[in-house]
Amino acid sequence: MTDFETILLDRKGRVGLITLNRPKALNALNSQLMREVVAAVEELDADREIGAIVITGSEKAFAAGADIKEMAPKTYSEAYGEDFFSDWDKISSARTPIIAAVSGYALGGGCELAMLCDFIIASDTAKFGQPEIKLGVIPGIGGSQRLTRAVGKAKAMDMCLTGRNMDVEEAERAGLVSRIVPVAELLDVALETATTIASMSLPATIMAKEAVNRAFETTLAEGVKFERRVFHSTFATADQKEGMAAFIEKRTPEFKHA
Ligand code: CAA
């Protein structure tokens, strides 16, 4: 297992837990942290013993955004030349389901990192925002696109143009967050949820994730056809035979993740 400085990486059974760990900077996303999160996700994603991943921060901050101090002196040619922030795209290509467990601030790149995950479980203290406009810039890790898909144009425009935060109730009503839990229970609920996902057939969870994500990329007719073809292919897996046999025999399935 790789050594990291700005994150903690843990394995809990079939669940990988990544904890952002720059408490003095409210988990601001500097380049080292970005490299480490991407490396940890890639390491867990390649591990067949891992069936779900949780990314979390601290109670005060999931992440307060990209690191403004590191970013401030950048020139246009540096930002363009290094394709600044493009490495974060690697998280959305992970096949293993990823849950963001968000407490406190999820601002700018922090909100965008949460949205790069497959769904967000948030504590009752969570706050979401895209305040880049207050810094004279705009979101750069997909915020203007994923937030709009998650909450619709009206709220996305409101947030990206005014930089205001959304509290967790508004975020849940708008569809950004799947569940709200008391802050003290956040990690337990996220890990339990991830453990449930990881107990399902791995090929089926990967296919389900791919099918839901396809809804954002294509038309309804094409998406439905894609889903049907992938559904057909589940009949080639040992886990389909086991899952259905277990139901008929009134027992718990023992998935082989194959
Ligand atoms: N980058 C760098 N450092 C940050 C940071 C960030 N995004 N957010 C907080 N910090 C640092 C602060 O500078 C401070 O460090 P010092 O003690 O060395 O001064 C420390 O974390 C604690 O922060 P505060 O004292 O500000 O804590 P607070 O409780 O008073 O306020 C906050 C919390 C409202 C989140 C405030 O820190 C804040 O507004 N942070 C910036 C939020 C922001 O603008 N995020 C967007 C960044 S741009 C971006 O993300 C671009 C993109 O799309 C990718």
Side-chain angles (χ1 to χ4, degrees):
M1 200 151 77
T2 324
D3 277 338
F4 296 113
E5 287 174 0
T6 63
I7 63 168
L8 306 171
L9 174 59
D10 230 340
R11 284 171 162 77
K12 297 186 179 290
R14 290 182 49 77
V15 173
L17 173 63
I18 297 170
T19 307
L20 310 182
N21 190 31
R22 292 188 71 210
K24 288 192 181 129
L26 302 183
N27 293 330
L29 311 170
N30 64 4
S31 44
Q32 183 181 4
L33 185 140
M34 174 176 65
R35 267 196 314 277
E36 294 188 354
V37 171
V38 168
V41 167
E42 287 181 333
E43 180 176 321
L44 293 169
D45 195 38
D47 184 344
R48 298 284 299 177
E49 299 305 311
I50 292 293
I53 299 169
V54 174
I55 301 183
T56 196
S58 68
E59 199 172 309
K60 177 161 183 192
F62 176 72
D67 191 311
I68 300 166
K69 293 168 190 165
E70 185 187 70
M71 190 166 45
K74 255 189 209 305
T75 62
Y76 166 75
S77 71
E78 283 165 353
Y80 183 74
E82 71 197 47
D83 204 2
F84 189 34
F85 288 145
S86 62
D87 270 3
W88 285 111
D89 292 345
K90 293 179 182 159
I91 293 182
S92 57
S93 23
R95 302 174 83 199
T96 312
I98 308 180
I99 300 174
V102 173
S103 178
Y105 295 110
L107 303 181
C111 186
E112 292 169 301
L113 172 58
M115 292 190 293
L116 276 167
C117 299
D118 296 307
F119 63 100
I120 301 173
I121 300 180
S123 83
D124 44 16
T125 65
K127 287 173 267 303
F128 298 87
Q130 297 293 160
E132 291 87 347
I133 199 78
K134 296 182 188 169
L135 301 168
V137 294
I138 70 168
I141 316 175
S144 64
Q145 306 303 299
R146 292 196 177 88
L147 188 65
T148 308
R149 282 166 168 77
V151 305
K153 180 179 169 187
K155 277 191 192 291
M157 278 288 186
D158 182 358
M159 289 171 71
C160 290
L161 294 179
T162 67
R164 81 169 172 91
N165 291 347
M166 232 186 217
D167 67 21
V168 74
E169 282 82 18
E170 183 181 4
E172 194 205 23
R173 276 199 309 277
L176 181 60
V177 157
S178 77
R179 314 182 201 172
I180 306 175
V181 298
V183 63
E185 294 166 24
L186 176 67
L187 192 56
D188 286 348
V189 172
L191 289 172
E192 262 170 43
T193 309
T195 302
T196 301
I197 293 170
S199 73
M200 308 297 175
S201 157
L202 183 60
T205 59
I206 291 174
M207 289 177 194
K209 168 170 168 165
E210 217 177 326
V212 173
N213 279 333
R214 188 54 72 103
F216 292 98
E217 307 291 347
T218 191
T219 62
L220 181 60
E222 285 302 318
V224 168
K225 188 175 273 178
F226 175 83
E227 179 201 74
R228 188 158 310 129
R229 295 292 174 245
V230 176
F231 168 71
H232 294 160
S233 72
T234 61
F235 288 82
T237 66
D239 286 345
Q240 174 270 328
K241 300 286 174 274
E242 169 61 11
M244 293 193 182
F247 176 82
I248 293 164
E249 292 159 18
K250 299 188 187 303
R251 60 176 175 81
T252 308
E254 283 180 34
F255 291 123
K256 299 278 184 291
H257 308 295

